[in-house]
Amino acid sequence: FALADGAPDVLALACEVEASDGGGASFVVDCGRLHAALEASDDPAARRLASFLVETRIDQTEPGKLPCHGPLGLRGEGGRTWWRGSYCLAPLASDPEPDATLARIAEWQALLRDLAERIERFHLRPGEVLLADNTRVLHGRDPYVDRGRLLWRLWAWTDAAVVPDNAYASSDTSLVAAEPDR
């Protein structure tokens, strides 16, 4: 879901009915930990990617959604970094080096794909809840075909979050007219 800068900083997923086909396993990537490892790496390419993630403004706007421009790791008050995940990443129109930006985006996406293939999976069982710092982790899941699977999603905004306006009454912002000047 493309919530741009108003994304909740707490995510809870509660399982009511698990997928009977064994699909839908979840995984979580700790972007804070991943970024720290990139920064501490002996590999200059890894350190370059770490810098890119928090220093380079890019376009993260998903088609028909609210505009989102900024670094993937947005540094906030108190040193906290808010990590954002979007499948639509592109250089800004004003980017002086769009080819270099595209190369870093490709490196980031390749790293996430590699992690998603190798990272440990878990299934939420009925009555279990995943509670996550939505500013620090990216959550994903494997495909499933059982249409009876039922997870409840709860978003919460703490005092540290950018509190959204009433446009977020729905989790699907395609139902909200995206305003070009936002």
Side-chain angles (χ1 to χ4, degrees):
F1 298 102
L3 296 178
D5 293 331
D9 55 340
V10 176
L11 167 69
L13 294 175
C15 179
E16 184 172 331
V17 179
E18 65 184 300
S20 63
D21 61 10
S26 293
F27 61 93
V28 177
V29 175
D30 183 335
C31 287
R33 187 172 170 195
L34 176 57
H35 183 255
L38 291 170
E39 283 184 313
S41 175
D42 293 334
D43 180 2
R47 290 193 311 274
R48 181 182 62 226
L49 180 58
S51 294
F52 167 81
L53 293 173
V54 294
E55 295 173 5
T56 304
R57 291 177 45 81
I58 62 173
D59 185 352
Q60 302 174 55
T61 307
E62 295 178 23
K65 308 291 182 166
L66 298 172
C68 184
H69 300 157
L72 289 162
L74 184 62
R75 294 203 169 148
E77 293 180 27
R80 185 176 184 182
T81 301
W82 293 64
W83 293 97
R84 300 186 282 188
S86 172
Y87 64 90
C88 293
L89 304 176
L92 292 172
S94 61
D95 189 326
E97 298 182 48
D99 290 340
T101 298
L102 282 171
R104 296 301 81 72
I105 288 171
E107 288 174 28
W108 175 241
Q109 290 174 324
L111 176 59
L112 290 179
R113 274 192 307 274
D114 180 57
L115 284 171
E117 288 177 15
R118 296 184 299 117
I119 201 162
E120 184 176 342
R121 301 305 205 255
F122 60 92
H123 283 273
L124 290 175
R125 306 291 182 216
E128 293 180 336
V129 177
L130 167 69
L131 186 61
D133 179 343
N134 200 41
T135 68
R136 185 176 174 103
V137 302
L138 298 179
H139 168 264
R141 63 151 177 82
D142 292 333
Y144 63 95
V145 294
D146 180 3
R147 297 187 63 87
R149 177 181 186 249
L150 180 58
L151 288 182
W152 293 96
R153 178 183 58 236
L154 173 70
W155 291 336
W157 288 261
T158 68
D159 292 341
V162 175
V163 178
D165 61 20
N166 62 4
Y168 295 107
S170 169
S171 66
D172 184 355
T173 59
S174 64
L175 301 175
V176 178
E179 300 173 26
D181 60 340
R182 285 187 94 177

